[in-house]
Amino acid sequence: MKISSVAEMRSLDEKAVSIYGIPQEILMENAGHAAYSVIQNEFGVEGKRFMVLCGTGNNGGDGLVVARKLYSSGGDVKVLVVGEISKFKGAGKKNLEIIRKLNIEIITIVEPSPIIDLIKNSDSLIDAIFGTGLDRQVDGLHKEIINIIRSSGKKVFSLDIPSGINGDTGQVMETAVRADFTVTFGLPKIGNIMHPGFDHCGKIYVSHISFPPELHGAEYIKISTNDPVVLPKRESNSHKGDFGKTLFIAGSSKYLGAPYLSAMSFLKSGGGLSFLATPESVAPFIGMKGAEIVLIPQKQTSSGSLSLENEKELIEFSDKVDFVVAGPGLSLDDETKKLVKKIVNKIEKPLLLDGDGLTALTEDLSVLQERKFPTILTPHTGEMARLAKVDVEFVEKNKIQILNKLTKELNSTIVLKGAHSLIGFSDGRIFINLSGNPGMATAGSGDVLTGVISAMHGLGFDVEKSVRTGVYVHGCAGDLAAEAVGEDGMLSGDIMEYLPESLKILRENYKSVIQNYSGKLALV
């Protein structure tokens, strides 16, 4: 499903009116009806008491439609207008005029104290205060009202987006409503899907409000959910070489887990041959744990990391494989960093850089710009901040903007890891992944991901689908692990152990996988 920015949604609204001749009144009616349907199905209407809190913009107009429909179906409805009622315009003003002719009480709020008793006497609250256009911190009366809603304990339905959430970033603008359900219109907005906005939405319903597919599926909208794709068939007469050969350049005397998790996750995800180039002192320990991994012991520095002397051997061996991963557990030894810088441009295969491999290049990113073969970077927010030369807080608040900038500048595909990982391509497309859970925020989880992505390439996907499918499968394995052991104390090894089952489910039950995945954004 496409995900829009606030500006893109305004453009879609304008095109619906100007090109397709759908009046604004109909769009508002459709939005209100979609929200009413969700309320009816999730909570019920007849005999229930509803408080509809409306701002004076289009979001408030949507709320007035909902109030009318609740009233017509036997609901006891009060409308609270936050702001100057004279500011309603267009379709919103028309709906206000209709409400005034009905037996619905309209209360204009100028100070918060009356709201407390009104909310106490309500069964459910409809949040139609701000909508997606909020671009400033919430303060004054609006802040007090939102905080009263937050502490009310009532069932809350938000229209388009919970009031107080930035529609373009998902950031909380000082305070925000926590909804049980959110009905978003046209398309989900970035703020509905990005954290922390996603957590404030509750269950999300999407209504296209009668936009034709040419609008809600428009090519110029570059952000989408990372929907699972069908896995390539494993032919009955296949051999291990048919499922990819990956070289992992990883490990040091300080980090034995990272190289093991990367190389073994490749195999657990269906990859064919996993080659691990790791310091000679490390190889025996990994060999005892992962006998299926083909070890290529390497010369090492005095600190136990990969020596610069290995450059020629690594380049020559990379010619024998289909895919190369560099970085997991390499350490920040100066000589090892020099090795990474030297080999990046000489590896003529798809190359995934993670962890210490990324850090080695942060001082001189030109080697990435000069690469002629596909490059994949998998930073967490701290590593992304170093790549972009900004602080972590800036990354957290501007993920889409930074991802778009760096994918172009570095000529790379970038997976920005975290809650709802982002997958960015240099042509401006971004996919938001919805699988995964907080338990996956554990040491080594990213190392598992590198193995999964490389395995997807081995199964036959091109680089783009390898990255997208790898991120999805990794998250799905984490969800399966969470079901089995819980999120608390989940280890990266738990995620790895559920990779085969994740792939089995995707392969054998694709239709139900798609239904469950898209169910996170249910259509109404």
Side-chain angles (χ1 to χ4, degrees), residues 53-362:
L53 296 101
C54 297
T56 55
N58 282 341
N59 195 244
D62 298 334
L64 294 174
V65 175
V66 174
R68 169 164 48 84
K69 289 181 175 291
L70 292 172
Y71 175 72
S72 71
S73 294
D76 180 353
V77 183
K78 287 183 172 61
V79 171
L80 272 65
V81 176
V82 186
E84 296 179 28
I85 203 164
S86 60
K87 289 186 176 180
F88 277 106
K89 296 179 182 178
K93 185 176 180 180
K94 286 188 178 182
N95 276 290
L96 178 64
E97 291 168 356
I98 295 170
I99 290 287
R100 281 174 162 163
K101 295 174 183 178
L102 301 174
N103 190 27
I104 297 176
E105 184 178 2
I106 302 173
I107 305 165
T108 302
I109 296 297
V110 293
E111 57 98 13
S113 57
I115 296 180
I116 297 173
D117 286 336
L118 289 168
I119 286 178
K120 279 182 181 178
N121 293 321
S122 301
D123 298 313
S124 176
L125 309 178
I126 316 302
D127 161 33
I129 300 173
F130 280 133
T132 59
L134 182 68
D135 58 2
R136 58 180 172 79
Q137 296 294 97
V138 178
D139 58 13
L141 178 62
H142 290 97
K143 180 178 178 179
E144 293 184 70
I145 290 172
I146 287 174
N147 285 338
I148 290 170
I149 295 171
R150 285 172 60 93
S151 61
S152 69
K154 303 294 182 179
K155 191 73 72 178
V156 178
F157 294 82
S158 284
L159 306 190
D160 220 6
I161 199 166
S163 292
I165 296 295
N166 184 298
D168 278 333
T169 67
Q171 293 296 305
V172 174
M173 308 301 282
E174 183 63 30
T175 189
V177 169
R178 277 195 175 271
D180 296 282
F181 302 91
T182 296
V183 187
T184 193
F185 309 127
L187 286 172
K189 318 311 177 292
I190 297 168
N192 291 122
I193 308 303
M194 299 290 287
H195 289 277
F198 182 80
D199 286 334
H200 283 69
C201 286
K203 184 173 182 179
I204 301 175
Y205 285 89
V206 182
S207 171
H208 293 319
I209 58 172
S210 77
F211 283 170
E214 303 92 282
L215 282 186
H216 64 73
E219 285 296 319
Y220 68 83
I221 299 175
K222 297 289 190 179
I223 303 175
S224 305
T225 52
N226 182 37
D227 300 340
V229 298
V230 176
L231 291 174
K233 184 179 179 182
R234 294 181 78 98
E235 299 293 345
S236 57
N237 63 341
S238 302
H239 59 82
K240 58 191 176 189
D242 292 331
F243 301 114
K245 293 174 282 187
T246 292
L247 170 64
F248 293 88
I249 303 171
S252 64
S253 60
K254 294 180 181 178
Y255 303 107
L256 280 67
Y260 166 75
L261 289 166
S262 294
M264 184 56 76
S265 292
F266 169 83
L267 298 172
K268 297 284 280 187
S269 303
L273 284 162
S274 181
F275 299 97
L276 175 58
T278 197
E280 53 195 0
S281 64
V282 172
F285 296 98
I286 295 176
M288 286 189 289
K289 193 169 185 180
E292 301 88 347
I293 300 168
V294 181
L295 294 164
I296 313 169
Q298 299 288 292
K299 294 175 183 176
Q300 61 187 56
T301 66
S302 58
S303 65
S305 63
L306 288 175
S307 167
L308 192 54
E309 296 178 62
N310 301 305
E311 178 187 351
K312 183 180 178 182
E313 182 181 354
L314 292 173
I315 297 302
E316 289 177 350
F317 201 94
S318 70
D319 290 335
K320 302 174 185 177
V321 299
D322 311 303
F323 197 99
V324 178
V325 173
L330 279 180
S331 86
L332 298 179
D333 182 278
D334 286 339
E335 185 173 338
T336 306
K337 288 197 289 185
K338 288 177 184 177
L339 173 66
V340 174
K341 293 174 187 176
K342 281 184 170 289
I343 65 175
V344 163
N345 262 334
K346 296 176 183 178
I347 292 175
E348 298 183 344
K349 296 290 169 69
L351 171 65
L352 188 156
L353 289 161
D354 180 63
D356 294 337
L358 282 173
T359 303
L361 302 179
T362 51

